[in-house]
Amino acid sequence: PLVTSKELFKQAYEKGYAIGAFNVNNMEIIQGIVSAAKEEKSPLILQVSAGARKYANPIYLKKLVESAVEDTDLPIVLHLDHGEDFEICKQCIDDGFTSVMIDASHLPFEENIALTKKVVDYAHPRGVVVEAELGKLAGIEDNISVDAKDATYTNPEEAREFVEKTGVDSLAIAIGTSHGAYKFKGKPELDFERLKKISKLLPGFPLVLHGASTVLSEYVEACNKFGGDIPGAQGVPEEMIKEAAKHGVCKVNIDTDLRLAMTSAIRKHLHDNPSNFDPRKYLGEGRKAVENMVKHKIGNVLGSSDQI
Ligand SMILES: O=C(COP(=O)(O)O)N(O)CCCOP(=O)(O)O
Ligand SMILES: [Zn+2]
């Protein structure tokens, strides 16, 4: 069924695992993710960004997710990723999403609170949960200085005040991750001291990690071997994701690893089969690669297998 993440996060928090939140943009990506979750008997968050709504048309995405629920009967959360204003959150809530993110992290603290509370006050009476963000995902400057970290990473005391004043159900925090394939110039590093402080001040409260792709080297190498050009790509080591799940992180956002898995498979297929021009062949290979990557994440990193 379509579910909210409330109960899923509660169990994940208690058992120390995290739930993958995978971005969806087309049928094959959804099918790959969902078959992996089905096989791993794992709860699942399918998330739709504004970019995905523009690319695929919201109606198609909603119907594809409904098909996944009908086909597998998995507990699936349909989540709006990075909602940029009240309007889009309202639209998705009215459209049957079970969870929305209002990303007001670029606003001053008080304005972030006000806008987040406005979304919470609309969502909760309709049985929908809300994710907000406090702090700014790292840029890709080299290991940034301590005071720069304090200026951009999530402040633990502010996090507690934010949650109390907004009633939000989960909080995306900034501890050194960033979106995309180029997360670290030097050695990958997350601010675990900060994470521990935040989770200590917010016991039992679900935290969210954005920019949590590993940028798996096997896919980067395959992309580059078959015509791609993705130099120096680096992500979050899987050990760090496991560690974060032990300190209150219940939702782990993964999009770049999906893209790399799909792209590497398609590049390889097109390279190895120059005479083929049937999209079902290379899109099918892409789907299979997505399925295998998500199975790996669920089974070996997130720990959410056999939880349904
Ligand atoms: O946290 C992440 C993904 O992190 P990742 O890049 O490490 O996978 N996300 O919220 C995904 C953001 C995708 O937005 P868009 O569709 O506009 O490109
Ligand atoms: Zn994000």
Side-chain angles (χ1 to χ4, degrees):
L2 268 188
V3 297
T4 75
S5 46
K6 202 82 190 160
E7 286 314 307
L8 299 182
F9 285 166
K10 188 166 173 298
Q11 183 175 301
Y13 194 100
E14 282 156 8
K15 293 186 167 182
Y17 63 82
I19 299 171
F22 299 95
N23 288 77
V24 295
N25 288 280
N26 71 9
M27 180 188 78
E28 286 79 3
I29 292 173
I30 292 175
Q31 290 176 322
I33 296 166
V34 172
S35 0
K38 180 84 183 160
E39 194 156 324
E40 290 292 326
K41 299 185 177 54
S42 168
L44 178 61
I45 299 170
L46 296 180
Q47 55 186 24
V48 173
S49 68
R53 290 166 57 81
K54 282 189 196 74
Y55 171 76
N57 176 330
I59 302 166
Y60 284 73
L61 287 175
K62 177 100 180 16
K63 295 290 178 201
L64 283 165
V65 172
E66 283 170 350
S67 315
V69 171
E70 186 183 317
D71 184 37
T72 64
D73 202 26
L74 279 175
I76 295 179
V77 179
L78 176 53
H79 175 75
L80 169 67
D81 190 26
H82 289 289
E84 50 211 15
D85 54 31
F86 173 77
E87 276 323 299
I88 184 138
C89 292
K90 176 179 183 299
Q91 208 177 327
C92 290
I93 291 165
D94 294 344
D95 193 28
F97 277 55
T98 56
S99 171
V100 295
M101 177 190 192
I102 174 69
D103 179 359
S105 58
H106 56 288
L107 296 180
F109 185 60
E110 294 304 332
E111 288 174 49
N112 187 351
I113 287 177
L115 180 48
T116 300
K117 191 168 178 344
K118 185 177 174 189
V119 174
V120 168
D121 292 344
Y122 188 81
H124 282 181
R126 292 162 178 82
V128 175
V129 292
V130 182
E131 173 188 326
E133 181 165 335
L134 190 63
K136 293 177 184 59
L137 294 185
I140 54 164
E141 307 83 49
D142 241 334
N143 27 12
I144 66 177
S145 63
V146 172
D147 47 358
K149 275 186 188 171
D150 286 343
T152 57
Y153 291 5
T154 306
N155 173 299
E157 287 74 22
E158 277 190 4
R160 181 174 51 183
E161 180 186 349
F162 184 92
V163 168
E164 279 164 7
K165 289 186 173 171
T166 60
V168 76
D169 303 281
S170 64
L171 185 68
I173 58 173
I175 55 169
T177 62
S178 58
H179 291 145
Y182 302 92
K183 298 183 196 298
F184 305 99
K185 273 212 179 110
K187 197 169 66 66
E189 191 184 333
L190 296 185
D191 191 339
F192 281 103
E193 285 321 302
R194 188 177 294 270
L195 172 60
K196 287 172 189 165
K197 277 193 201 128
I198 295 168
S199 63
K200 223 162 120 78
L201 289 172
L202 286 166
F205 183 81
L207 302 174
V208 180
L209 215 44
H210 283 240
S213 279
T214 299
V215 187
L216 292 156
S217 50
E218 69 189 273
Y219 299 124
V220 176
E221 282 152 24
C223 282
N224 291 337
K225 185 176 171 194
F226 298 111
D229 181 18
I230 315 173
Q234 195 175 202
V236 183
E238 296 184 326
E239 280 315 308
M240 292 189 185
I241 302 298
K242 287 184 193 173
E243 178 67 11
K246 295 194 191 93
H247 297 285
V249 169
C250 296
K251 177 174 181 274
V252 171
N253 282 16
I254 297 173
D255 189 19
T256 296
D257 282 333
L258 292 169
R259 298 179 181 189
L260 290 168
M262 185 159 220
T263 304
S264 60
I266 291 173
R267 280 194 174 280
K268 177 169 176 16
H269 176 88
L270 293 176
H271 174 272
D272 295 348
N273 304 274
S275 59
N276 174 56
F277 55 91
D278 177 352
R280 291 170 300 187
K281 293 281 188 305
Y282 49 84
L283 292 177
E285 293 290 326
R287 175 170 58 194
K288 193 73 199 150
V290 163
E291 181 181 346
N292 291 336
M293 191 281 290
V294 172
K295 260 195 278 193
H296 161 72
K297 284 291 177 187
I298 290 175
N300 306 325
V301 183
L302 300 165
S304 64
S305 304
D306 305 319
Q307 297 299 336
I308 52 172

